[in-house]
Amino acid sequence: MATVLSALNKKLLRDLLNIKGQVAAITLVMAAGIAIFIIMFGVLDSLKLTRDTYYERYQFADVFASLKRAPEAVKDRIDEIPGVSISQSRVVFGVTLQMESMLEPATGKIISLPDSSPALLNKLYLREGRMLFPNEENAILADESFVKAHDLSLGDSLTVIMNGYRRTLNIVGVVLSPEYVYSIAPGALMPDSKRFGVFWMSRRSLEAAVNMKGAFNDIAIKTERNVALEGVLSQVDAILKPYGGLISFARKDQISNFFVSNELKQLQSMGSLAPVIFLSVAAFLINVVMSRQVATQREQIGMLKAVGYTNKEVSLHYLKMVLVITVLGSIIGLALGAWMGSGMTQMYTEFFHFPILKYSFSLEVMILSVFSCALAAVIGTLFAINNAAKLPPAEAMRPESPAIFNVTLLERIGVHQYLSFTSRIILRQVERRPIRTLMSSIGIAFALSILVFSFFMEDSMEYLMDVQYGITQREDVNIGFVEPKSAKALEEIKIIPGVLMVEPLRNVPVYFKHKHYKKRGSIIGLNKEPMLRRVIDENLDSVNMPNEGIVLNTTLARILQLKVGDIVEVEILEEKRQTLIIPVSAITQEFIGLGAFMNIHQLNKILDSTPKITGASLLVDQNHSAQLYKKLKEIPAIIGLNITSVLRQIFEDIMAENLLKMVATNVMFASFISFGIIYNTARITISERSRELASLRVLGLTRAEVAYILFGELGLITLLSIPIGILLGYSMSVGMTESMDSELFRIPVYLKNSTYGYAVLIVLLSAIVSFYLVWRQVDSIDLVSAQKGVE
Amino acid sequence: MTSLFKTEKLKKSYVTGETEIHALRGVSTEIPCGELVVMLGPSGSGKSTFLNILGGLDQPASGKVFFKGKDLANFNNHELTYFRREHVGFVFQAYNLVPSLTALENVALVTEISPQPMDPLEALEIVGLKNRANHFPSQMSGGEQQRVAIARALAKQPEVLLCDEPTGALDSETGIVVLNALMKVNEAFGTTTIIITHNAAIAALAHRVIHFSDGMIHHVHINDTRKTPQQIDW
């Protein structure tokens, strides 16, 4: 009779079927690990490829610089810098827009497009409509995100205030630009396509409107390959300095690109941690299951060796079991990962407003994920299989000698008098195999920690916003002026109806230097004891502005390698250039941005003689807020108006969009683990103990007493896992925040007590469900055959 | 007579739990080809240990054990495995069938790795279980399982058949069937068969009876006449 499978392989398959519940549990965990691996790296690769292709095709510039005003001829000198390939001079101007749908004014940036030739750098992708005609007046191209945010269409006109004049501009085309993948207003921290728009206009037309005929105030530069950017940047600065040039910067510091890179970096760190956890848990589960298989099949192993199977053949037989499980897990994981991955890439492409989508599902990622999985599984099992292989056949076929038991620690203390006989069995069992008990607890703890960790992001983000917008920024609205105003402006604002309180703010763009560390940023000058926009320390207490010296937040201090008492060199990037030496008075904790603060009076004093403010924080009477905002909108001197409640909403929306999907996925996968481990552990414990438990029943113990013995041990293991899991979850959260620290924001480690509660609840529920499923099996064990040892 | 096995001063001890047991204290004997040998002795007298060493399942602490002139005590693990694979058939008291394989597949398990196997179905026929070929152990009685085990052992056409308490778990009627099968194999194929048993009555079936006591051979008895399984006083 010809058969396709050898007898040993048939045994393999039937053995797997016998433990199909456990196989299913492990497969799910493995599949989850592989899926996450693929999703993360697949998505990451795709996004990187998409971004790089986009930048390449649309000639995204390498160096950017803005200045006050220079004649066109200066551009030629930039072209002559060694290393510069091409440059594109532009006129860029900030405007405010009156949008009906919004209370506060929107801000915008208008960028010129050359009339006689197509743009060389930072080319536009036309989504709808047409490009501009040469010298076309009153026509603009609008960036897609703004158009979508305001539900605009081609042909709509926008009313803008440009250079003090009101103008009406028509939208003739909707575009995307590699320079504004994220639309972030100058000085803002979060992208906000509703309140900030980017537009393009004919160069001639724009020049005329803002008095820049024959001149430029912005330049984009493409460098040759492998050019040292430092050199180019400093030469550009040197040329532009006399024309009011601000420090030039390279692509990596360009705000939109920075944001995209940051996003990808976060994706990378999240993607690296999760798969490792899942695959470790899968390896642990496989180890437990296979150890049990080898233990139960001890006599069969002995027999196989007795009839002449080599150690290698026996080991291979069990290794195949592991591989079958791995293959199953891989297939499901790959399929799941591919499906979810393409969905996620699509979602990100829309989020980033990439005009193209390049989905890269690299074979390498697939192979790597499966290989890691298999490796984890095999390593997890090697120990058990090795034990099986090494057992001499005669030994293997002898019934296992009774386990070695000792009087437990607790009994030596004398506690046992208070314990029932059944409780003593539990304790002795636990103490006899401390490592096994601990490992099971750790396994369940892992599940718990993943749940804790999954919720932590939400908790922390909420905390972050509560602190930022409830404690740090207590103003209702903050406003910025087009140009620095004298202190008199404060008085004028105070008398506007609806304003309850005003505090000044001076924002000075600077360049920090300490030894060889440099960072571009700004100093914010505040009142000595600010009440509205404040600066806080780790204890969430308000920090007063020192009489002298500067207050830095921890991240900025770290970047510049400064501590309290050090001196920092500050180059002021205002019209009147100067470099100041300022001592560091304090270092604070702020979650958002790279804050540097000084006493505004001190700041004014060292900068120039007259006190100036660039903005103010206001406390507003909520009953009159609508009218107040309307009034403020109409004041041309006010360029920026941020309503704190709106800012908070934006932050929440962004976080929600990114975070929620990730959290939901994690919770689902974590539940797999949680159930998988508990179910497995329960099944295996039953398998080991059914004979002795049946014996106890025959001896006269009730079902309840046997249940107590069985689940008492499992319950103890579960209870033990709770503190371990909570600790582990907390550590994972700390690890994640550290890896996600960026200059934009730092996530605090904050976990609500209720979060721990929910996580524990989910684990306990899984435990109860597993116990119930397993108890149904236990109860149905035929007492007689169980006693004979037939499983 | 040619010796299949010859042992010289075999010693062996092993540890179970926390106790050390001296199973063999110097056993020297010879077992000729083609004989049916029964080994008797109380529990713990060393008969199983001796059988295991003969079968290459275990190795002596000291002494020599020759199989056709080659000393098994010098064999490494790999050589012992091949020795078992090619020359020895085992029948255990606990049958040790693979529960997830049918009777036929249990026999095939062994024939697939033998250099000169019998057809598995043929082996089952010899023990009278051809019609149970596709049944699982759980569907068979103790006697039937034991006969499958015998079929499995003889399917590789071994030179020696080692049986450790083959009828220990069976009633007299089934026991007789099993013993018949073993005798049939011994007579038809000339397979040297060594049987360990508690049941002294079975000794009457053997050519040679070896009595074990306290890890040593007490005495060896050669039978002038042999009975059939039906004739013995169970």
Side-chain angles (χ1 to χ4, degrees):
Chain A
M1 234 192 301
T3 44
V4 176
L5 286 172
S6 69
L8 209 55
N9 284 338
K10 282 189 201 162
K11 170 184 179 296
L12 169 71
L13 288 175
R14 291 190 201 141
D15 284 347
L16 279 172
L17 268 168
N18 203 29
I19 52 166
K20 54 184 177 292
Q22 292 164 63
V23 169
I26 299 174
T27 304
L28 276 177
V29 174
M30 242 187 215
I34 291 181
I36 292 183
F37 193 104
I38 291 185
I39 290 172
M40 287 308 177
F41 286 98
V43 169
L44 202 63
D45 275 351
S46 305
L47 290 177
K48 282 189 184 157
L49 183 62
T50 301
R51 176 196 61 181
D52 294 343
T53 310
Y54 185 31
Y55 284 178
E56 179 65 39
R57 254 188 230 176
Y58 291 86
Q59 291 290 292
F60 186 38
D62 296 307
V63 172
F64 304 81
S66 50
L67 50 144
K68 201 98 169 92
R69 183 201 178 98
E72 190 62 25
V74 176
K75 168 181 148 31
D76 298 332
R77 290 169 53 199
I78 301 269
D79 285 335
E80 280 162 19
I81 298 175
V84 168
S85 173
I86 44 172
S87 72
Q88 178 100 64
S89 64
R90 325 187 278 184
V91 175
V92 174
F93 211 81
V95 299
T96 51
L97 300 113
Q98 316 257 302
M99 306 300 298
E100 286 155 10
S101 50
M102 285 164 51
L103 215 52
E104 71 281 23
T107 46
K109 203 184 224 190
I110 303 192
I111 303 174
S112 69
L113 280 177
D115 295 296
S116 43
S117 52
L120 294 171
L121 298 176
N122 302 333
K123 296 186 191 187
L124 301 175
Y125 170 85
L126 185 67
R127 199 57 122 181
E128 242 190 290
R130 60 168 175 84
M131 297 300 276
L132 297 168
F133 298 138
N135 307 327
E136 192 171 353
E137 292 202 12
N138 298 328
I140 48 169
L141 303 174
D143 95 81
E144 192 191 43
S145 38
F146 186 82
V147 165
K148 277 202 176 135
H150 289 277
D151 211 14
L152 299 168
S153 350
L154 287 178
D156 283 352
S157 32
L158 295 173
T159 312
V160 310
I161 300 187
M162 184 162 40
N163 205 19
Y165 292 99
R166 184 170 281 167
R167 295 178 72 121
T168 309
L169 302 171
N170 299 321
I171 301 176
V172 302
V174 178
V175 294
L176 293 170
S177 165
E179 213 178 342
Y180 293 96
V181 170
Y182 265 95
S183 352
I184 303 179
L189 284 165
M190 287 281 130
D192 179 12
S193 36
K194 193 152 181 170
R195 293 157 67 257
F196 177 70
V198 187
F199 311 95
W200 287 263
M201 200 168 150
S202 140
R203 171 98 183 242
R204 282 270 170 76
S205 221
L206 188 56
E207 277 181 355
V210 300
N211 224 349
M212 289 282 290
K213 271 213 174 81
F216 68 95
N217 67 358
D218 194 285
I219 187 157
I221 299 167
K222 191 123 190 94
T223 56
E224 284 158 9
R225 277 189 207 285
N226 302 325
V227 155
L229 286 171
E230 275 296 307
V232 173
L233 290 172
S234 50
Q235 291 196 59
V236 168
D237 288 342
I239 294 177
L240 295 179
K241 192 158 177 173
Y243 303 101
L246 298 176
I247 306 284
S248 59
F249 53 93
R251 198 193 269 193
K252 71 171 167 53
D253 291 319
Q254 197 263 350
I255 191 81
S256 161
N257 182 45
F258 177 74
F259 229 94
V260 174
S261 304
N262 206 58
E263 190 79 22
L264 296 181
K265 193 173 94 160
Q266 286 178 6
L267 204 62
Q268 183 143 4
S269 48
M270 266 203 269
S272 312
L273 187 61
V276 169
I277 293 174
F278 280 90
L279 293 182
S280 306
V281 173
F284 169 68
L285 286 177
I286 285 190
N287 178 47
V288 173
V289 169
M290 289 307 296
S291 301
R292 185 60 203 148
Q293 279 294 103
V294 165
T296 38
Q297 298 191 359
R298 203 163 169 271
E299 282 144 4
Q300 290 178 51
I301 292 173
M303 180 277 294
L304 285 172
K305 289 188 176 199
V307 300
Y309 280 91
T310 61
N311 286 348
K312 254 191 237 158
E313 285 164 333
V314 171
S315 302
L316 191 63
H317 173 67
Y318 289 98
L319 211 63
K320 279 190 210 167
M321 274 184 104
V322 173
L323 290 176
V324 167
I325 298 178
T326 305
V327 166
L328 270 173
S330 300
I331 293 176
I332 299 176
L334 287 175
L336 199 64
W339 175 63
M340 289 178 76
S342 72
M344 261 184 93
T345 306
Q346 181 97 5
M347 178 189 91
Y348 265 108
T349 304
E350 284 163 15
F351 178 68
F352 283 131
H353 302 290
F354 287 142
I356 51 181
L357 169 61
K358 289 239 166 243
Y359 188 50
S360 146
F361 188 62
S362 77
L363 200 61
E364 284 140 13
V365 170
M366 277 170 67
I367 293 177
L368 190 63
S369 65
V370 172
F371 181 71
S372 323
C373 189
L375 196 67
V378 167
I379 288 177
T381 324
L382 231 42
F383 195 63
I385 292 179
N386 201 37
N387 278 351
K390 282 210 303 233
L391 218 50
E395 185 77 46
M397 290 186 297
R398 233 195 301 277
E400 256 183 303
S401 41
I404 301 172
F405 278 94
N406 276 316
V407 177
T408 64
L409 192 64
L410 276 157
E411 288 173 315
R412 268 180 260 169
I413 300 175
V415 176
H416 66 282
Q417 301 156 318
Y418 309 105
L419 290 172
S420 65
F421 149 73
T422 42
S423 300
R424 264 181 266 168
I425 292 182
I426 295 175
L427 279 177
R428 289 210 187 126
Q429 189 71 24
V430 166
E431 233 187 78
R432 183 175 77 87
R433 303 254 226 136
I435 297 180
R436 257 280 301 271
T437 310
L438 194 67
M439 288 303 291
S440 305
S441 286
I442 290 180
I444 299 175
F446 258 128
L448 185 63
S449 69
I450 289 179
L451 288 172
V452 166
F453 175 70
S454 303
F455 294 134
F456 122 85
M457 285 293 273
E458 260 190 270
D459 281 356
S460 286
M461 281 304 178
E462 234 186 275
Y463 177 72
L464 191 156
M465 289 194 284
D466 284 342
V467 168
Q468 188 64 28
Y469 295 116
I471 299 178
T472 307
Q473 288 186 239
R474 302 203 297 183
E475 71 273 22
D476 291 322
V477 58
N478 71 64
I479 55 177
F481 304 125
V482 174
E483 293 169 323
K485 300 271 175 215
S486 75
K488 244 196 325 159
L490 271 179
E491 305 300 318
E492 289 171 19
I493 295 171
K494 226 185 257 189
I495 57 176
I496 301 177
V499 174
L500 296 175
M501 193 169 153
V502 188
E503 278 181 1
L505 201 143
R506 180 165 183 178
N507 190 323
V508 181
V510 300
Y511 205 63
F512 293 109
K513 267 187 241 181
H514 177 235
K515 298 188 192 160
H516 58 276
Y517 304 102
K518 301 192 268 235
K519 191 72 191 165
R520 195 174 167 178
S522 51
I523 299 180
I524 299 179
L526 300 171
N527 276 348
K528 182 172 173 129
E529 286 178 34
M531 301 287 281
L532 299 177
R533 205 281 182 224
R534 310 191 296 165
V535 178
I536 55 161
D537 62 20
E538 304 85 65
N539 302 323
L540 303 184
D541 292 325
S542 181
V543 173
N544 287 344
M545 294 297 105
N547 289 330
E548 293 185 355
I550 192 168
V551 176
L552 301 175
N553 91 357
T554 3
T555 312
L556 185 56
R558 190 174 14 99
I559 292 174
L560 296 168
Q561 293 285 295
L562 287 166
K563 41 186 205 306
V564 175
D566 284 345
I567 306 286
V568 57
E569 200 181 303
V570 179
E571 189 181 334
I572 308 290
L573 300 175
E574 280 188 337
E575 262 202 58
K576 184 175 143 206
R577 284 294 177 88
Q578 45 181 322
T579 302
L580 304 166
I581 309 288
I582 308 178
V584 177
S585 307
I587 295 187
T588 65
Q589 176 91 292
E590 264 201 341
F591 297 129
I592 299 184
L594 297 173
F597 306 92
M598 281 180 72
N599 185 320
I600 192 170
H601 302 293
Q602 176 69 7
L603 189 60
N604 281 327
K605 206 164 78 170
I606 56 177
L607 285 182
D608 30 50
S609 41
T610 52
K612 288 210 187 104
I613 61 173
T614 59
S617 305
L618 277 64
L619 201 62
V620 157
D621 179 356
Q622 291 306 315
N623 298 328
H624 298 286
S625 60
Q627 298 134 293
L628 174 66
Y629 295 148
K630 200 153 164 265
K631 182 116 205 304
L632 290 174
K633 218 156 114 169
E634 282 164 18
I635 301 175
I638 293 179
I639 187 90
L641 198 151
N642 292 322
I643 301 176
T644 318
S645 56
V646 172
L647 276 179
R648 180 172 182 147
Q649 192 58 49
I650 292 167
F651 204 81
E652 267 178 31
D653 289 346
I654 289 183
M655 286 305 141
E657 204 171 326
N658 281 0
L659 223 32
L660 226 57
K661 290 183 180 129
M662 206 122 319
V663 170
T665 316
N666 270 356
V667 171
M668 174 176 83
F669 285 150
S671 309
F672 283 177
I673 292 187
S674 162
F675 184 79
I677 293 180
I678 294 176
Y679 179 74
N680 247 296
T681 310
R683 280 290 288 129
I684 284 177
T685 308
I686 297 285
S687 150
E688 288 176 332
R689 315 277 307 281
S690 62
R691 189 167 171 186
E692 95 191 48
L693 293 174
S695 305
L696 288 173
R697 288 273 284 121
V698 166
L699 286 174
L701 261 65
T702 63
R703 284 160 75 217
E705 285 169 319
V706 170
Y708 172 63
I709 292 177
L710 185 63
F711 296 127
E713 191 185 335
L714 290 172
L716 205 66
I717 292 176
T718 308
L719 280 174
L720 195 65
S721 73
I722 293 177
I724 300 176
I726 289 179
L727 199 68
L728 220 71
Y730 182 78
S731 312
M732 280 161 63
S733 305
V734 170
M736 178 55 87
T737 51
E738 278 169 20
S739 71
M740 278 180 63
D741 254 6
S742 75
E743 292 175 11
L744 291 172
F745 53 82
R746 272 75 56 198
I747 305 171
V749 182
Y750 182 77
L751 282 149
K752 295 203 286 247
N753 287 340
S754 56
T755 296
Y756 292 122
Y758 282 130
V760 170
L761 201 67
I762 293 178
V763 167
L764 287 179
L765 272 171
S766 310
I768 292 174
V769 171
S770 308
F771 290 171
Y772 174 68
L773 284 175
V774 158
W775 176 242
R776 281 188 11 179
Q777 287 171 347
V778 170
D779 218 18
S780 63
I781 289 177
D782 174 3
L783 294 179
V784 177
S785 50
Q787 276 222 284
K788 282 195 187 157
V790 175
E791 288 205 27
Chain B
M1 69 169 184
T2 41
S3 302
L4 190 64
F5 285 107
K6 180 175 155 130
T7 70
E8 284 172 19
K9 298 211 184 90
L10 272 187
K11 286 198 184 149
K12 178 73 183 177
S13 49
Y14 57 91
V15 180
T16 49
E18 291 181 339
T19 45
E20 191 183 10
I21 298 173
H22 298 287
L24 296 177
R25 296 168 199 265
V27 175
S28 308
T29 188
E30 274 185 57
I31 297 182
C33 292
E35 282 195 1
L36 181 80
V37 178
V38 167
M39 298 205 293
L40 290 177
S43 280
S45 53
K47 359 184 252 298
S48 287
T49 312
F50 184 67
L51 196 80
N52 288 345
I53 292 176
L54 289 185
L57 284 181
D58 218 341
Q59 280 187 301
S62 68
K64 296 189 172 45
V65 43
F66 294 99
F67 173 80
K68 297 213 279 201
K70 284 200 270 222
D71 187 2
L72 298 179
N74 293 334
F75 277 28
N76 63 29
N77 218 349
H78 190 79
E79 288 165 329
L80 277 180
T81 305
Y82 273 85
F83 164 66
R84 294 195 300 272
R85 185 185 282 218
E86 288 164 14
H87 303 286
V88 185
F90 284 100
V91 178
F92 305 103
Q93 179 175 3
Y95 331 136
N96 282 3
L97 296 178
V98 175
S100 52
L101 293 178
T102 61
L104 188 68
E105 289 161 352
N106 264 291
V107 178
L109 197 60
V110 166
T111 56
E112 279 166 10
I113 55 165
S114 295
Q116 285 179 310
M118 210 188 280
D119 178 47
L121 212 53
E122 221 185 289
L124 282 175
E125 183 151 20
I126 293 177
V127 298
L129 286 177
K130 190 170 168 185
N131 60 330
R132 305 287 258 150
N134 294 324
H135 289 186
F136 288 92
S138 54
Q139 298 166 306
M140 296 191 271
S141 71
E144 287 167 334
Q145 289 183 58
Q146 189 61 294
R147 283 189 279 156
V148 173
I150 295 173
R152 177 181 67 189
L154 56 91
K156 64 160 85 166
Q157 307 201 82
E159 275 152 282
V160 56
L161 199 62
L162 302 177
C163 312
D164 195 342
E165 301 273 10
T167 57
L170 307 171
D171 62 71
S172 57
E173 201 182 312
T174 327
I176 290 171
V177 174
V178 167
L179 288 171
N180 266 323
L182 288 173
M183 285 191 79
K184 186 168 152 190
V185 169
N186 173 250
E187 273 154 31
F189 301 106
T191 313
T192 311
T193 308
I194 306 176
I195 301 174
I196 291 179
T197 180
H198 271 127
N199 193 341
I202 294 177
L205 304 174
H207 292 102
R208 177 183 300 249
V209 183
I210 303 178
H211 291 261
F212 270 84
S213 169
D214 259 333
M216 303 272 295
I217 290 181
H218 193 252
H219 68 274
V220 178
H221 172 80
I222 312 282
N223 277 339
D224 309 312
T225 53
R226 296 165 66 206
K227 289 195 182 160
T228 64
Q230 288 83 333
Q231 293 169 325
I232 57 176
D233 223 344
W234 202 266

